[in-house]
Amino acid sequence: MLERTVRPYLTISHFLRNTPLIRKMAAINSVSDALDPANAARSTLKLENTEKRDTLIKIEKKYQRQWQDSGIFNAVAPSTSDAPLGSITSADLHKKHPKYFGTFAFPYMNGTLHAGHSFTASKVEYTAGFARMQGKRVLFPLGFHCTGMPIKACADKLSDDVRKFGQNFEGYKDEQGDGSELPPAPTQAETKDDITKFTSKKSKAAAKGVKLKYQFQIMLALGIPREEIHRFADANYWLKYFPPLCKRDLDNFGARIDWRRSFVTTDANPYYDTFVRWQMHRLKEMNKIQYGSRYTIYSPKDGQPCMDHDRTEGEGVAPQEYTALKLKVKEWAPEAAKALQGKIPDSASVYFVPATLRPETMYGQTCCFVGPKIKYGIFKVSENEYYVITKRAAWNMSFQGVFFKNGIFPKDASELMPMAELTGAAVVGTLVNAPLSVHKEGVRILPMDTVSPTKGTGVVTSVPSDSPDDYATVTDLAKKADYYGIKKEWAELEIVPIVDTPSYGNLAAPFLVKKMKINSPKDTKQLTEAKDLAYKEGYYKGTMMVGDFEGEAVELAKPKVKAQLIQSGDAFEYAEPNGYVVSRSADECVVAYLGQWFLNYGENDPAWRDQVLDHVKNDLETFSSETQNGFEKNLEWLNRWACARTYGLGSKLPWEPKFLVESLSDSTIYMAYYTIAHLLHDDIFGEQPGLLNIKPEQMIDEVWDYIFCRREISDELLKSSRISRSDLETMRREFEYWYPLDMRISGKDLIPNHLTFFLYIHTALFPREFWPSGIRANGHLMLNGEKMSKSTGNFLTLSDAVSKYGADASRIALADAGDGVEDANFEETVANQIILRMYTLKEWCEDIIKDPSLRTSSTDKNLWDSLFENEMHTLVHHAYTHYAATDYKVALKSALYDFTSVRDFYREALAAASIAMHRDLVTAYISLQALIISPIAPHWADYIWQEVLEKPTTIQNALWPVVPQPEASLTAAYIYIRTTSSAITSAEGQQVRKKSKGKSTQFDPEQPKRLIIYTASAFPAWQQKYIDLVKDFHDRASLEDKSLNAEVGRMGEGKKAMPFVQTLKRRIQTGEDASDVFDRKLAFDETEVLGQMLRGLRKTVPKCRGVEIVAVEGEDEGKKRGRIVRSEGEGLGAVGEERELLGAAEMAVPGGPTFFFENV
């Protein structure tokens, strides 16, 4: 246990003697109250009566202790004595001893787990539980991620807070407006214009605002006692504090985790450190890690690259590369010339520098835009060269060798001062030379209100032939030249065709603006759509019409034109973040061009990329097309990734120890480390040796090679490592048994980085048979239909959820939340309702198992018994199918909601018939219910299993129940009963509602009545052609609704034919033999089934004096006859008596009875 600071007791007299302390403490307490962690959940559901919940939680705690004490989740691979190494392949070993190995992304140790973590973890949980029931050995491990900047940056901020305010922050004075809420980071999709790059929306990042000014306030909001916060100024303290809390919360959740295999990352664990160094060594030897200069997101304050996990805002934002064009000033506008007099040499070359993504269209420049209200600087490049751009763009360029040379970067903006500053309005009218433009005499600088100062350089070159925005603006400028203070002819230079497209001709922008009826530059929505259409059409289908590359496809010509411009000195490369990025040290990031170690992902190693792509397309199970497509698109655009940094926590880069391995690069194959972690160390820090008593220094690179099947054992290896042959073989057995990883479950936001890196490195370092088998991506978790947010009070930690609802109710609500890649929703009302449901079901199981009135005779079985048993078997098979497909929401429906529903059906049917339930079936129900819900709700299931059913061992070791396949005849009868009963009660209810509204009714529902049910033994002649139609579609293996329904509609009797056709389809789809359906045979005796329903219907329908079943028979003198075949009640005709047929009888068909109410 970690030491806790004991808070001293202060007396009233102490406070009276220390009035300044009162004021200080009041200030800090006001902050403390505002940042009370309970406030994060203030908008969530409040529970009042918790007696039932507390009872269930007491049960949960009992079984959690039992599982932990027994070590039941400690996974064991077959030993080398059972199956000697080399005597059996790993594939055959898996067939002989089936296994499941599942993981989710290890959580970062800068806080406790929230409900979103548990949502992802629950997917591994349910699958692990189901795999155990399949007889598989199951490994579900979890480590603790500590690598990177976040912990170190927070620790450093706390050090500053302690220096400012004292150890317990008693010097802090409450500040009004501690910091306004920052806007969410733009998503990549919102900021990126380059259509050739893959887009991944970062809803998680975009959903969060930042409002806390000091780090100690954030710690208070996390629930850390104020007296303990100063300890977190030591980064290592975080590694000791949060992992135990993570374990506690997951244990309370009932997670089936093998905690022996846990570890912290970074060199805090020397064993894991050797593992990271090994993989970096091998990747460098394979030329997968290289050194070179490239564009990267960079923090000037930190002096290093800022990768995804180093950011508080802007996860997923990447460098956007432009072509920066140099438009030389030929003649300044009068106001600008006057303002610049004496500030720059007369002989100097001054350039407006627009940044473009479309260099191939520069032949069509007719003007250059600036924002009239934007302030521009004139920045000195050299004695004779100056650039006109925004300060933001100049700051970015400072890290790309433009203003500072030889890899020297400025420390702050004071090192980059403009020679002069002008508003955009002052430079309007300036004549500039536009490289490549057909207008050789020059083009004018013109105003454009929509120019953004936070994107590009603030200078925008205009190509109205291919840019709808530009065309709309120059058209508007020409119409309102006097209003804008320009000469009309400046906006009316000839628009020359540059690119020919098949859809929009050779002037795509004018075509689209006119077609989409865009009247003004203010029509932003239509212009955005038009811009997208023009860009895609031009890039993918366009052909160049001018220049040195005339006749070439735009896609091929674009890089050539760019290279030509750069080579001629008319342009240079420029890059900036394609969104707002803030580092963990609160620094706004730029793009730097610098030398760094990087993993050579992407187009620079096409063989590696194609190897991963082939695995994704042909071998990897992704469980959804969205995930598959996400990987394929990401692999198309993902490029080199910086894998080293100088600040933070981590393992040192082996060949250059001044660098640390970056957090997304030391966490690509740690799943392999899980396989042997328990053999190496007995605690998460590696301070105590594990089962094999191996020291960290013995884990040399060659040992890792052997464990991971990259080499074989040798005398040299035994000597250099000083590890015995048997121990080496034991470690290798663990790896080759548990690998490949069967399922990796992560949020969809990790597809663009971690999950793709995970695939890359696995394919590089391991033999193909050990490449990942499956990746399941899920959406983020909403809470009560809204994004989780501490600021709105709509937030739950995992600890909150389990304390509030209990483990099983939380787990069931998480399963109910959803399964796809779209965002799921944890409904607290569902969790609360589950408490009552599970408590009530528990009590029913406890009571019914002791009920002496239950029938026990093995020969005393009726239709309801058979239907109940058959439906239980059906749902067991359905649940199995859904669990196997990882569709947990529908698995829950089959395993709980539908399963209790069929019990209710059985119970109510027998109660109506005054028959007791059968003990064998009740016991089977309780047993099956416990088994099939146990992957999701194991605590409740184990209680029922051990204490109600009195089984000798835990349900965690029980296998999935083997039950017969359902009988189609019984399934059909069950559906028939449910459908018929529902139709009858609904019809009666409809008349009640009509009468309550004063409308006329077919009978008085409040008076005594009789129910007449009509059955038919033969189908009407008109139905034959529809039977033939359905048979034809069935023979073609296509009962698809759309085309079948269309054909029914064309046959002209849709109103009466459509319900009939749907009935035929349903019968086939529920398992009835198709030949019986098409031969007009029911799978059950309809009259017998209705006879069994009579007593129940009479009880169900209010004031029902009796029920008659009337069989519709053949015609007699042109009229159909009816005969009573069954009856129940008072004042009814005798069986066999003829009945006059009413209108409803005409519509009766086999399996589709009709009915009629009449007052008596």
Side-chain angles (χ1 to χ4, degrees):
M1 295 294 292
L2 292 168
E3 181 185 351
R4 295 287 188 267
T5 302
V6 178
R7 184 180 301 176
Y9 289 98
L10 302 180
T11 65
I12 294 176
S13 60
H14 177 93
F15 275 100
L16 291 175
R17 293 194 303 270
N18 291 275
T19 305
L21 177 62
I22 295 175
R23 287 195 294 269
K24 290 179 181 179
M25 294 306 292
I28 190 67
N29 283 335
S30 68
V31 176
S32 181
D33 291 342
L35 298 177
D36 185 341
N39 285 330
R42 65 184 179 276
S43 299
T44 60
L45 187 67
K46 303 298 184 290
L47 302 188
E48 296 179 358
N49 188 342
T50 63
E51 181 182 351
K52 294 179 175 62
R53 179 205 67 183
D54 296 342
T55 298
L56 295 176
I57 288 179
K58 186 177 180 181
I59 290 170
E60 291 167 356
K61 295 304 178 189
K62 174 180 177 178
Y63 284 94
Q64 286 166 8
R65 286 192 298 271
Q66 185 183 112
W67 300 335
Q68 291 159 18
D69 291 345
S70 66
I72 197 168
F73 304 133
N74 292 348
V76 179
S79 69
T80 53
S81 59
D82 292 337
L85 205 67
S87 67
I88 186 171
T89 66
S90 61
D92 288 338
L93 189 62
H94 295 153
K95 290 178 183 177
K96 185 176 180 181
H97 302 285
K99 61 90 182 179
Y100 167 80
F101 179 19
T103 66
F104 74 103
F106 50 16
Y108 197 77
M109 289 296 101
N110 61 345
T112 55
L113 303 185
H114 55 67
H117 288 114
S118 55
F119 178 61
T120 302
S122 71
K123 306 303 183 186
V124 190
E125 253 299 291
Y126 307 147
T127 311
F130 179 60
R132 293 180 70 94
M133 301 191 76
Q134 292 174 295
K136 298 177 181 178
R137 303 187 189 206
V138 172
L139 174 56
F140 175 17
L142 187 68
F144 308 106
H145 198 199
C146 307
T147 307
M149 285 182 59
I151 290 174
K152 177 63 174 168
C154 291
D156 289 350
K157 288 178 187 176
L158 274 177
S159 294
D160 292 341
D161 290 352
V162 170
R163 280 194 294 271
K164 287 179 183 176
F165 307 123
Q167 179 171 296
N168 294 323
F169 315 102
E170 59 275 2
Y172 174 76
K173 294 181 180 179
D174 196 7
E175 301 174 14
Q176 294 297 318
D178 270 352
S180 59
E181 189 162 329
L182 297 174
T187 66
Q188 196 163 328
E190 293 169 333
T191 60
K192 179 168 63 57
D193 290 327
D194 190 342
I195 60 162
T196 65
K197 299 292 179 67
F198 170 67
T199 295
S200 171
K201 292 185 178 181
K202 296 290 169 182
S203 60
K204 183 168 61 176
K208 295 180 180 177
V210 178
K211 202 170 183 177
L212 304 180
K213 185 173 182 180
Y214 296 106
Q215 183 63 38
F216 83 88
Q217 295 173 319
I218 297 173
M219 306 303 285
L220 283 170
L222 287 173
I224 310 297
R226 186 185 309 124
E227 296 82 359
E228 193 163 357
I229 291 175
H230 68 91
R231 299 186 180 192
F232 291 86
D234 176 3
N236 290 320
Y237 190 71
W238 297 66
L239 279 60
K240 298 175 182 177
Y241 187 88
F242 285 111
L245 299 185
C246 175
K247 181 179 183 300
R248 176 204 67 189
D249 292 347
L250 285 166
D251 280 342
N252 289 340
F253 187 62
R256 301 173 174 93
I257 294 174
D258 182 352
W259 291 112
R260 301 172 306 153
R261 300 170 188 260
S262 300
F263 56 89
V264 294
T265 64
T266 77
D267 53 8
N269 184 319
Y271 294 94
Y272 187 77
D273 189 52
T274 68
F275 169 71
V276 173
R277 293 204 310 267
W278 162 77
Q279 60 183 281
M280 302 308 284
H281 268 141
R282 294 299 179 250
L283 289 168
K284 184 171 182 288
E285 290 168 3
M286 299 167 72
N287 209 33
K288 304 301 183 186
I289 292 179
Q290 299 178 2
Y291 186 85
S293 296
R294 59 187 289 275
Y295 290 114
T296 191
I297 305 293
Y298 183 86
S299 166
K301 179 179 179 180
D302 300 331
Q304 66 175 9
C306 184
M307 311 312 288
D308 273 4
H309 284 190
D310 302 330
R311 306 172 188 175
T312 57
E313 295 188 61
E315 184 180 349
V317 172
Q320 176 65 70
E321 297 182 28
Y322 295 92
T323 302
L325 211 63
K326 297 166 66 173
L327 278 61
K328 185 175 181 179
V329 174
K330 300 179 73 171
E331 177 188 332
W332 283 106
E335 183 180 344
K338 182 178 179 181
L340 295 175
Q341 192 169 9
K343 295 185 178 180
I344 55 176
D346 293 337
S347 60
S349 297
V350 182
Y351 299 90
F352 282 78
V353 185
T356 181
L357 292 168
R358 303 196 64 186
E360 77 282 2
T361 64
M362 292 302 98
Y363 302 99
Q365 296 175 89
T366 64
C367 64
C368 180
F369 296 127
V370 293
K373 297 178 182 180
I374 296 174
K375 185 177 286 188
Y376 294 89
I378 300 181
F379 294 90
K380 181 178 179 180
V381 181
S382 66
E383 291 301 326
N384 294 305
E385 190 170 351
Y386 297 80
Y387 291 165
V388 182
I389 49 178
T390 60
K391 281 186 177 180
R392 173 186 170 278
W395 181 241
N396 260 280
M397 289 181 185
S398 299
F399 298 88
Q400 297 169 32
V402 175
F403 301 113
F404 296 84
K405 307 298 182 183
N406 302 319
I408 297 173
F409 293 158
K411 298 295 183 184
D412 58 61
S414 65
E415 298 181 46
L416 182 71
M417 301 302 293
M419 305 304 294
E421 289 184 303
L422 296 165
T423 63
V427 300
V428 169
T430 297
L431 183 67
V432 295
N433 177 63
L436 294 186
S437 173
V438 297
H439 299 290
K440 302 301 182 185
E441 69 282 3
V443 301
R444 296 286 177 174
I445 302 294
L446 298 181
M448 186 182 198
D449 291 331
T450 57
V451 171
S452 171
T454 60
K455 188 173 184 180
T457 61
V459 181
V460 181
T461 192
S462 172
V463 184
S465 60
D466 291 87
S467 169
D469 288 293
D470 295 354
Y471 180 76
T473 301
V474 295
T475 301
D476 189 59
L477 288 171
K479 286 180 183 177
K480 304 174 184 177
D482 292 341
Y483 172 80
Y484 287 110
I486 65 170
K487 294 182 179 180
K488 185 177 182 181
E489 58 267 26
W490 291 351
E492 289 188 325
L493 296 188
E494 181 184 2
I495 299 174
V496 180
I498 305 299
V499 175
D500 188 33
T501 68
S503 301
Y504 313 132
N506 56 24
L507 290 171
F511 177 90
L512 285 166
V513 167
K514 291 169 186 174
K515 180 182 178 182
M516 299 176 70
K517 298 180 181 179
I518 296 170
N519 300 312
S520 160
K522 295 180 181 179
D523 295 335
T524 54
K525 184 177 179 181
Q526 299 100 304
L527 281 169
T528 299
E529 183 181 351
K531 175 182 178 180
D532 188 54
L533 292 171
Y535 193 176
K536 287 182 178 178
E537 179 81 6
Y539 182 79
Y540 290 115
K541 299 179 181 179
T543 304
M544 297 297 297
M545 297 181 63
V546 297
D548 293 346
F549 310 105
E550 181 180 353
E552 289 193 21
V554 168
E555 195 171 357
L556 299 175
K558 177 177 178 174
K560 296 178 182 178
V561 176
K562 177 179 179 177
Q564 190 180 69
L565 283 164
I566 293 173
Q567 188 174 3
S568 67
D570 291 320
F572 58 93
E573 290 183 326
Y574 167 65
E576 64 183 28
N578 64 6
Y580 183 61
V581 181
V582 178
S583 74
R584 297 282 179 176
S585 57
D587 184 35
E588 183 177 353
C589 294
V590 298
V591 167
Y593 188 74
L594 75 166
Q596 59 188 250
W597 291 103
F598 58 83
L599 279 153
N600 198 31
Y601 301 136
E603 62 187 12
N604 296 291
D605 192 339
W608 193 15
R609 178 196 60 197
D610 293 346
Q611 180 176 257
V612 177
L613 190 58
D614 176 72
H615 181 59
V616 168
K617 289 182 174 180
N618 298 313
D619 300 316
L620 185 70
E621 173 60 71
T622 56
F623 299 92
S624 75
S625 58
E626 295 92 337
T627 300
Q628 172 101 10
N629 294 337
F631 278 119
E632 292 180 15
K633 291 179 180 178
N634 193 48
L635 285 164
E636 290 174 7
W637 76 266
L638 181 68
N639 214 321
R640 294 167 169 171
W641 185 269
C643 62
R645 63 159 64 81
T646 57
Y647 175 80
L649 303 180
S651 295
K652 293 180 173 60
L653 201 63
W655 57 89
E656 200 163 354
K658 70 177 182 179
F659 290 111
L660 298 170
V661 179
E662 181 263 339
S663 64
L664 281 171
S665 300
D666 85 334
S667 57
T668 53
I669 58 169
Y670 66 87
M671 313 84 200
Y673 188 81
Y674 283 137
T675 64
I676 63 163
H678 63 304
L679 302 177
L680 298 179
H681 48 81
D682 194 44
D683 64 294
I684 62 174
F685 295 101
E687 294 173 351
Q688 300 297 322
L691 296 174
L692 300 184
N693 200 32
I694 294 171
K695 294 181 173 59
E697 57 268 23
Q698 292 177 269
M699 296 301 295
I700 58 178
D701 287 351
E702 291 75 17
V703 169
W704 292 110
D705 285 336
Y706 173 74
I707 292 170
F708 298 139
C709 302
R710 293 168 50 88
R711 62 164 290 164
E712 293 308 318
I713 209 160
S714 67
D715 291 339
E716 181 183 353
L717 176 59
L718 294 170
K719 181 179 179 180
S720 58
S721 68
R722 304 186 314 284
I723 300 174
S724 71
R725 178 184 292 270
S726 62
D727 287 349
L728 287 169
E729 290 180 346
T730 296
M731 290 191 285
R732 182 157 176 169
R733 165 52 55 81
E734 288 278 340
F735 169 74
E736 70 173 13
Y737 177 68
W738 292 115
Y739 251 59
L741 182 63
D742 295 288
M743 187 185 296
R744 175 69 169 173
I745 297 181
S746 291
K748 62 185 177 183
D749 54 303
L750 295 184
I751 292 175
N753 44 58
H754 164 71
L755 289 174
T756 303
F757 302 168
F758 159 77
L759 292 174
Y760 260 113
I761 304 304
H762 270 83
T763 61
L765 291 179
F766 299 127
R768 192 179 191 100
E769 64 184 300
F770 299 119
W771 294 359
S773 297
I775 296 177
R776 190 185 189 283
N778 54 256
H780 303 304
L781 185 69
M782 295 190 295
L783 180 61
N784 303 322
E786 302 289 339
K787 290 181 184 285
M788 279 202 291
S789 169
K790 290 182 179 179
S791 62
T792 63
N794 192 51
F795 188 84
L796 277 182
T797 65
L798 173 56
S799 179
D800 292 336
V802 172
S803 298
K804 192 172 186 177
Y805 300 109
D808 281 341
S810 298
R811 292 167 69 108
I812 291 171
L814 287 167
D816 190 71
D819 291 310
V821 295
E822 297 304 315
D823 288 352
N825 182 35
F826 183 96
E827 277 289 351
E828 289 192 277
T829 54
V830 171
N832 193 33
Q833 290 162 6
I834 287 297
I835 293 172
L836 177 60
R837 175 185 284 269
M838 302 311 287
Y839 181 85
T840 304
L841 186 55
K842 174 189 79 74
E843 287 208 317
W844 182 85
C845 292
E846 292 168 338
D847 294 340
I848 199 68
I849 203 75
K850 302 171 186 174
D851 189 341
S853 68
L854 296 178
R855 289 180 290 125
T856 58
S857 172
S858 60
T859 59
D860 182 21
K861 291 286 183 74
N862 57 43
L863 173 64
W864 307 111
D865 294 335
S866 299
L867 291 175
F868 181 41
E869 185 173 44
N870 191 69
E871 282 308 299
M872 286 195 291
H873 296 166
T874 298
L875 291 172
V876 168
H877 287 292
H878 285 178
Y880 185 96
T881 299
H882 299 319
Y883 277 126
T886 72
D887 293 331
Y888 306 112
K889 186 179 178 72
V890 285
L892 175 67
K893 181 177 182 295
S894 296
L896 180 61
Y897 300 130
D898 291 349
F899 213 70
T900 52
S901 177
V902 76
R903 178 213 59 175
D904 294 342
F905 165 82
Y906 176 59
R907 181 172 57 173
E908 291 161 9
L910 288 182
S914 301
I915 302 172
M917 292 184 286
H918 200 287
R919 179 171 295 279
D920 290 349
L921 291 176
V922 166
T923 304
Y925 165 79
I926 296 173
S927 176
L928 291 172
Q929 176 65 95
L931 287 166
I932 66 176
I933 198 60
S934 65
I936 295 175
H939 309 85
W940 185 93
D942 216 355
Y943 171 81
I944 297 298
W945 189 252
Q946 293 194 58
E947 300 192 35
V948 176
L949 296 174
E950 298 181 349
K951 301 289 186 180
T953 59
T954 174
I955 202 170
Q956 297 281 10
N957 289 332
L959 297 179
W960 187 265
V962 177
V963 297
Q965 287 294 324
E967 295 181 28
S969 61
L970 290 172
T971 301
Y974 176 76
I975 294 171
Y976 175 88
I977 291 171
R978 298 296 293 256
T979 304
T980 303
S981 298
S982 176
I984 290 171
T985 54
S986 295
E988 200 272 344
Q990 185 181 39
Q991 298 305 306
V992 172
R993 289 190 294 274
K994 277 187 174 183
K995 184 172 182 179
S996 68
K997 295 178 181 178
K999 297 181 179 179
S1000 62
T1001 59
Q1002 296 171 350
F1003 63 94
D1004 188 342
E1006 295 180 358
Q1007 297 301 316
K1009 50 189 167 291
R1010 176 171 59 199
L1011 171 63
I1012 304 168
I1013 302 173
Y1014 297 105
T1015 67
S1017 58
F1019 289 97
W1022 65 266
Q1023 293 180 350
Q1024 183 60 50
K1025 60 184 176 182
Y1026 293 101
I1027 291 174
D1028 294 339
L1029 175 67
V1030 175
K1031 185 176 186 302
D1032 179 54
F1033 271 78
H1034 177 266
D1035 291 344
R1036 288 187 272 146
S1038 174
L1039 283 176
E1040 189 266 318
D1041 272 335
K1042 191 173 181 181
S1043 55
L1044 177 59
N1045 292 351
E1047 191 63 31
V1048 172
R1050 279 193 289 270
M1051 294 170 72
E1053 298 171 298
K1055 188 171 182 180
K1056 65 178 180 179
M1058 196 67 76
F1060 173 68
V1061 168
Q1062 293 301 322
T1063 299
L1064 294 177
K1065 274 183 58 179
R1066 185 175 65 248
R1067 290 177 61 189
I1068 294 169
Q1069 291 170 341
T1070 54
E1072 283 192 58
D1073 187 277
S1075 61
D1076 286 347
V1077 175
F1078 297 135
D1079 290 343
R1080 301 186 176 205
K1081 294 178 183 176
L1082 287 182
F1084 56 91
D1085 186 328
E1086 184 175 11
T1087 301
E1088 177 62 28
V1089 169
L1090 281 171
Q1092 295 286 336
M1093 295 173 62
L1094 289 182
R1095 188 173 295 181
L1097 286 171
R1098 187 180 173 195
K1099 286 191 174 182
T1100 302
V1101 177
K1103 297 188 178 182
C1104 183
R1105 294 291 186 259
V1107 183
E1108 288 182 349
I1109 302 173
V1110 176
V1112 179
E1113 299 178 342
E1115 295 185 358
D1116 182 9
E1117 297 180 357
K1119 290 186 178 180
K1120 288 186 176 181
R1121 301 190 313 274
R1123 183 171 55 85
I1124 299 174
V1125 291
R1126 294 287 180 91
S1127 63
E1128 168 81 23
E1130 308 165 3
L1132 303 176
V1135 173
E1137 181 181 323
E1138 288 196 4
R1139 274 286 186 188
E1140 178 184 357
L1141 297 181
L1142 300 174
E1146 290 293 322
M1147 297 301 294
V1149 295
T1154 56
F1155 51 88
F1156 181 77
F1157 288 100
E1158 62 181 5
N1159 290 116
V1160 294

